[in-house]
Amino acid sequence: MTPSSEVAREFPATLAGPYADGLDLPYWEGLRAGELRLQRCGECGLWIWGPRWMCGQCQVFDPEWVAVEAVGRVFSWSRTWHSFIPELAGELPFITVLVELPHAGGRRVLGLLTEDGDADIAIGDAVSGIIQQPADAPWPLLRWQRAGTPPETEQGEHR
Amino acid sequence: MTDSFLRGAAAVVGVSEFHYKRGESPDSELRMTLRAIVEAAADAGVSPREIDGFVSYGGGENDGTVVGSSLMSHRIRWSNMIWGGGGGGAAAAITNAAVAIAAGQAQCVVVYRAMAQQDSGRLGYAKHHFDGHMLPHGVGSPAQACALRTRRMLEHDGVPESAMRSLVLADYFHAQQNPSAAAFGRPLDETGYDASRMIVEPYRLYDCSRENDGAVALILVSADRAEALGPNPAYVLAGSQGAVGGYAVDTENDLDYTSAGFGGTAGVAETLWADAGLGPDQVDVVQVYENFSGSGVAALIDHSLCPPGADAGKVMTVENLTAPHGLLPVNTSGGNLADSFVNGMGLAVEAVRQVRGTSTNQVPDATVSLFIGGPMAAVSSSVLLCTRDVL
Ligand SMILES: [Zn+2]
């Protein structure tokens, strides 16, 4: 994925990093390795997000972590004007996108859009992920930018 | 008519609610809780010491053993917290109290909630939700989480923004008749709403509920006891709760994303109507928990009180939403937006007032009164209250 130096807008990494219990550690290690990894049940193929200890459909524990191409479409979005998070106060307004991933059974992940906060975003816009590693942050973060061409639609199961 | 054992088994016989500006309570949450309970007991005509059941929701340190001991209750038989975070369990707490009474596990149950910023900080009921998969993406508050859902409800489902505005203006309209409402004496019109600053699109300042310090208590007893106590108990007709979409752990992947959590087959709203043996068109007045205007609209849609999509705009007009003559009077004390916000429990007290006939925006001859708890939360709940002749 694109290295962070090519990105116009870099956000501070607020409170990023794994849970104390380690459930989502492979997600964060995946970002360090340059990959978006989500869980997929080896038994039934169910894509899982947020992270879970087991697949509820087949009671298999510790679903494996699988690399997913970080492309998708905007499922919803918001533009924040008020300073809810002190570390992002200097970035207002910013756009958060909820991205539907066609290559992960339609699972949705959150991320900040690296474009200007006044960007004319809409549901259905094609986006692609980039991994940012802010200089003084312990963990990288997945951000999103608008893509020129929409991703192939690969209809996976969505639970 | 259904055979639900809950139907009419218990009734709300006493209420109390008071609030301060956020951070300005002179008292701790425990002291405010005790004051609200003592006042509600006086309203009911029972001794605080006979309260043997305690139910709350949304967190807080003061469980039933703490509160009951402070009241020198003769015996604490029922001490429950509705799990699920935020205001989602608000109506479920009332149902839980009625269940205890119907099952003979307790005889006099108080439902209570208190908030003081000095004790639990801002948004003390919602903090747990915003973790390392939300905060780094700029989502650190309920407003932002709900805004994502409301954006899709508007842009994808086609609900017009006017539906949100009408709910806000109805709240402010009602607050002008309620001297204890925070927005009393501060009316709001379309121009003022449209001019207000954006907080997180699509929410403007006026779309977002205030937060107050304060406390609320409701006391329930059995139907027999209620009848002996006074002329106007608010009977629990039916209550429903559930976590149907997977909201708690799905990190924005729950089903029916634009729903408020009550919808769908075998959803919370459907079982509420089934258990009550009546439908949305038989409800006289509604108190809908609107932490944000958009999630309140979604909750009304979930309950079939308002059609989904573009047609929502036809029902959601200020004229329809306001007492005394609107088709769907909502939030008749001013609601979370214009009255007060103590985790939404003030709405339950107003639902009781409508059954008693004592609201400052009384709906004439109201007999069926609906309280819809917190939308877009891990658990969702609603409860129907009614006069005796409905049973
Ligand atoms: Zn499985």
Side-chain angles (χ1 to χ4, degrees):
Chain A
M1 274 182 255
T2 317
S4 61
S5 59
E6 292 181 19
V7 177
R9 190 175 183 191
E10 189 170 310
F11 293 93
T14 63
L15 303 172
Y19 300 133
D21 62 10
L23 169 61
D24 60 344
L25 185 59
Y27 169 85
W28 296 100
E29 289 174 337
L31 291 184
R32 275 191 177 159
E35 287 182 351
L36 169 61
R37 292 178 190 161
L38 300 184
Q39 284 174 296
R40 186 175 204 186
C41 174
E43 196 73 23
C44 71
L46 180 73
W47 285 96
I48 296 169
W49 188 254
R52 292 188 193 172
W53 291 113
M54 60 177 277
C55 170
Q57 285 191 160
C58 22
Q59 293 82 50
V60 169
F61 278 77
D62 308 315
E64 60 188 299
W65 291 83
V66 180
V68 179
E69 192 183 349
V71 294
R73 287 180 180 281
V74 173
F75 188 81
S76 197
W77 59 276
S78 65
R79 189 180 347 251
T80 297
W81 293 87
H82 180 80
S83 178
F84 290 105
I85 301 173
E87 296 91 329
L88 291 171
E91 305 291 334
L92 299 169
F94 57 77
I95 295 172
T96 299
V97 286
L98 180 61
V99 180
E100 191 175 45
L101 302 170
H103 302 304
R107 288 282 132 200
R108 309 189 286 259
V109 295
L110 284 167
L112 282 162
L113 194 74
T114 58
E115 294 175 54
D116 284 347
D118 61 358
D120 190 18
I121 185 99
I123 288 171
D125 283 359
V127 288
S128 59
I130 50 173
I131 293 171
Q132 282 187 347
Q133 174 62 70
D136 51 356
W139 293 94
L141 283 164
L142 183 66
R143 307 302 195 192
W144 295 89
Q145 61 190 7
R146 239 97 62 94
T149 44
E152 296 276 315
T153 305
E154 176 189 304
Q155 285 301 338
E157 82 293 338
H158 187 131
R159 273 206 306 193
Chain B
M1 183 70 71
T2 63
D3 58 0
S4 162
F5 93 127
L6 204 58
R7 185 189 183 92
V12 181
V13 290
V15 294
S16 168
E17 55 103 8
F18 53 86
H19 53 89
Y20 305 92
K21 275 192 173 172
R22 172 164 49 84
E24 292 188 5
S25 166
D27 298 325
S28 67
E29 288 177 359
L30 179 55
R31 194 176 192 284
M32 284 198 292
T33 296
L34 294 170
R35 177 184 152 196
I37 293 174
V38 168
E39 288 178 5
D43 182 41
V46 303
S47 162
R49 297 193 67 184
E50 37 172 320
I51 299 171
D52 58 359
F54 300 83
V55 182
S56 193
Y57 65 96
E61 298 298 307
N62 302 303
D63 67 49
T65 64
V66 173
V67 175
S69 297
S70 300
L71 293 169
M72 295 179 72
S73 297
H74 298 302
R75 177 184 165 188
I76 301 163
R77 300 183 66 187
W78 189 264
S79 173
N80 283 8
M81 165 62 62
I82 307 296
W83 282 358
I94 296 172
T95 304
N96 187 279
V99 165
I101 291 164
Q105 290 293 306
Q107 294 183 327
C108 184
V109 184
V110 64
V111 177
Y112 61 98
R113 185 76 177 102
M115 294 197 332
Q117 188 173 245
Q118 63 170 10
D119 284 3
S120 51
R122 287 214 62 187
L123 302 167
Y125 47 86
K127 279 177 183 161
H128 65 283
H129 187 64
F130 301 102
D131 60 16
H133 297 288
M134 306 284 274
L135 281 166
H137 308 308
V139 181
S141 68
Q144 293 170 297
C146 292
L148 284 162
R149 292 158 191 271
T150 296
R151 165 55 59 191
R152 190 168 170 87
M153 181 182 81
L154 301 177
E155 196 175 316
H156 179 269
D157 297 356
V159 172
E161 289 192 46
S162 66
M164 290 164 46
R165 183 174 65 190
S166 295
L167 181 56
V168 176
L169 296 184
D171 278 26
Y172 273 80
F173 177 87
H174 290 137
Q176 305 318 308
Q177 305 297 320
N178 175 10
S180 70
F184 179 71
R186 291 160 52 201
L188 180 69
D189 61 12
E190 283 191 16
T191 310
Y193 172 89
D194 290 344
S196 69
R197 68 185 170 97
M198 279 294 179
I199 300 296
V200 48
E201 293 179 34
Y203 296 152
R204 297 173 181 282
L205 176 66
Y206 286 115
D207 292 304
C208 303
S209 72
R210 46 190 82 240
E211 260 189 292
N212 292 95
D213 286 3
V216 183
L218 297 90
I219 290 177
L220 289 88
V221 297
S222 70
D224 288 347
R225 180 86 198 281
E227 211 166 322
L229 282 171
N232 53 13
Y235 293 84
V236 176
L237 175 60
S240 180
Q241 60 179 295
V244 289
Y247 186 103
V249 299
D250 274 357
T251 318
E252 308 303 308
N253 278 274
D254 45 303
L255 301 172
D256 299 324
Y257 190 67
T258 61
S259 149
F262 306 88
T265 311
V268 174
E270 184 173 284
T271 54
L272 180 78
W273 301 130
D275 284 358
L278 53 75
D281 56 341
Q282 288 159 284
V283 171
D284 296 307
V285 58
V286 179
Q287 312 303 320
V288 59
Y289 189 124
E290 53 354 356
N291 41 5
F292 309 101
S293 60
S295 38
V297 172
L300 293 171
I301 292 172
D302 282 355
H303 283 83
S304 303
L305 292 157
C306 166
D311 286 349
K314 295 176 187 163
V315 170
M316 298 294 291
T317 64
V318 177
E319 187 183 18
N320 277 344
L321 300 181
T322 44
H325 301 303
L327 293 172
L328 180 66
V330 300
N331 296 0
T332 46
S333 71
N336 292 336
L337 302 178
D339 179 2
S340 64
F341 179 79
V342 182
N343 218 173
M345 211 51 181
L347 293 165
V349 171
E350 176 66 7
V352 171
R353 287 192 205 105
Q354 286 287 353
V355 172
R356 289 178 164 186
T358 59
S359 169
T360 54
N361 288 285
Q362 184 63 40
V363 172
D365 306 318
T367 59
V368 178
S369 176
L370 173 61
F371 168 45
I372 302 175
M376 296 182 183
V379 68
S380 304
S381 61
S382 43
V383 64
L384 278 163
L385 304 173
C386 68
T387 56
R388 191 170 191 281
D389 55 333
V390 174
L391 297 170

